Amino acid sequence: MGETLERWSTRRAFILAVTGAAVGLGNIWRFPYMTGENGGAAFLVLYVAFVITLGLPVMMAEILIGRAGRRSPMQSLAHLAREAGATPHWRWLGLFGGITVFFILSFYSVVAGWSIEYLIDSANGNFAGLSPQEVGANFDAFLADPLRMTFNHTLFLLLTMSVVAAGVSGGLEKLNNLLMPLLYLLLLILAIYATTTDGFGAAMAWLFKPDPSAITGTVVLNAMGHAFFTLALGACALMAYGAYMPEEQSLPRAVVAVAILDVTVALLAGIAIFSVVFSQGMDPGEGPGLMFVTLPIAFAQLPGGSLWLSIFFLLLLLATWTSSINLTEPMVATLQDAGLKRGHATAVIGALVWAAGMLSVLSFSTMAEVHWIGEMNFFDLVTTVPTDIFLPVGGALIAIFAAWVMSQETAQQALGVDAKGFRLWQSLVRYVSIPLVVIVLISDLF
Ligand code: PHE
């Protein structure tokens, strides 16, 4: 297959598409509970440090490969490898990315289903007047009900797959254009409201006053994995989007803009959520349920709480939707390369992801005590290993490909910077980002 001639219509459209992929459950659901489980500010500092030292340079690497190849990830890798006289086996990196996003999407869709449930519940006013204990008990009862969870998981996947099959994600991006600023606004309101609560001071200290003794090998690994996850990095998903990047756009500038937008969402969500945690005397390390328990409590204090809460879950769902479309794209592209039609490829992937997601659904009821590795049930496993191990490994290989393997002239052109800027990026990737990933992964293994 040859180069694609399609392009995002404007620079803003490209930035929005990548922001749509980046901003999702990772910022609003995963970031707060990971911070809660990993010692608060220590985790936050490490995560931001990884976004700067790894996230930015490797994101440029991933997108520039797509931009230089102008093909699906596997084909771009093979084409650029050949051009540089290297082995076209580099294409298998695209398949590895496909496997990674497969597992990520399988639990992503289940948690997105929780948001559907909460959207409907809040629109019906079901949270009005509930005590914090009752909100918590509600969430536990929901998790213990595999039928309701299955229904929502199925519905979310159908929504995602129908957009992917129709290839109309452009329309969704336009919607996103409007909704993303609204999501910011709502989070901002929540964060401002948080300043008036009793727990605000404790939340700020928890988030921004690092306790160095909280840093362990696992905390470092989790922070690195989360930096990749939140930026949608390391699975060739952004590579797929890079193929449509306009010629004249500055890649470094776009990447910095996306990273700033992405981290801001996480910080706002963190401030809002931890203020509730500390106002209510809850446990910050409560785990994946944290957002679903704290936000209904917070909104209940605001006038018109049920309405705000439903708007919030609607916006969260839309942000999640754009991320899950990005998660699906590399898998569909891979099957299309293998000769399947787009509709068929999407159906096959949808069915497989659905089945894998069912193992996560059941991890809260019938399979809660089925341990796959150590003490981890399926949901524990699938929410950690692909993110903490597969994404960094994929990201390191992507970085090696961009900064060592492919033609450095082509790379410079696709990065769209002058010789000095290119050398800076190249040295950062070669001597900082790649060694850093390798050191963190190896030191965690032993
Ligand atoms: N970045 C998305 C989020 O934060 C998740 C994601 C991971 C999307 C990897 C694409 C690839 O929710």
Side-chain angles (χ1 to χ4, degrees), residues 335-349:
L335 285 194
Q336 273 186 303
D337 283 351
L340 261 71
K341 286 215 185 71
R342 189 167 181 91
H344 292 163
T346 316
V348 170
I349 283 161

Side-chain angles (χ1 to χ4, degrees), residues 229-412:
F229 185 89
T230 188
L231 294 172
L233 195 58
C236 301
L238 292 181
M239 200 184 286
Y241 277 10
Y244 311 114
M245 188 171 176
E247 267 78 12
E248 65 292 347
Q249 185 161 18
S250 158
L251 179 45
R253 235 182 271 161
V255 162
V256 170
V258 172
I260 292 175
L261 289 170
D262 190 63
V263 171
T264 319
V265 174
L267 289 181
L268 289 175
I271 292 171
I273 287 175
F274 285 111
S275 297
V276 181
V277 167
F278 290 108
S279 301
Q280 303 290 339
M282 292 166 62
D283 171 15
E286 115 132 43
L290 190 65
M291 176 197 100
F292 290 91
V293 178
T294 47
L295 289 187
I297 298 175
F299 278 106
Q301 323 277 326
L302 287 173
S306 295
L307 180 68
W308 289 108
L309 190 60
S310 12
I311 296 175
F312 175 82
F313 277 112
L314 183 67
L315 295 173
L316 174 63
L317 255 176
L318 287 159
T320 306
W321 206 9
T322 47
S323 298
S324 64
I325 288 169
N326 180 249
L327 282 162
T328 314
E329 196 52 44
M331 293 188 274
V332 171
T334 306
L335 285 194
Q336 273 186 303
D337 283 351
L340 261 71
K341 286 215 185 71
R342 189 167 181 91
H344 292 163
T346 316
V348 170
I349 283 161
L352 292 174
V353 171
W354 182 84
M358 283 311 293
L359 294 174
S360 281
V361 166
L362 297 176
S363 296
F364 294 92
S365 44
T366 35
M367 288 173 60
E369 296 308 319
V370 179
H371 298 147
W372 295 64
I373 296 182
E375 290 286 283
M376 291 195 271
N377 66 27
F378 190 81
F379 184 79
D380 300 332
L381 183 69
V382 83
T383 47
T384 48
V385 173
T387 298
D388 289 344
I389 313 280
F390 293 7
L391 288 180
V393 168
L397 290 171
I398 286 167
I400 291 171
F401 186 83
W404 291 104
V405 178
M406 71 183 274
S407 142
Q408 293 301 285
E409 244 164 64
T410 311
Q412 182 180 340

Side-chain angles (χ1 to χ4, degrees), residues 57 415 417-430:
L415 190 60
V417 291
D418 59 15
K420 216 172 118 213
F422 185 73
R423 266 198 308 278
L424 179 66
W425 169 82
Q426 193 193 42
S427 323
L428 253 176
V429 173
R430 285 185 173 180

Side-chain angles (χ1 to χ4, degrees), residues 208-224:
F208 299 111
K209 258 210 205 120
D211 165 13
S213 71
I215 299 178
T216 64
T218 318
V219 171
V220 176
L221 185 77
N222 286 340
M224 179 171 83

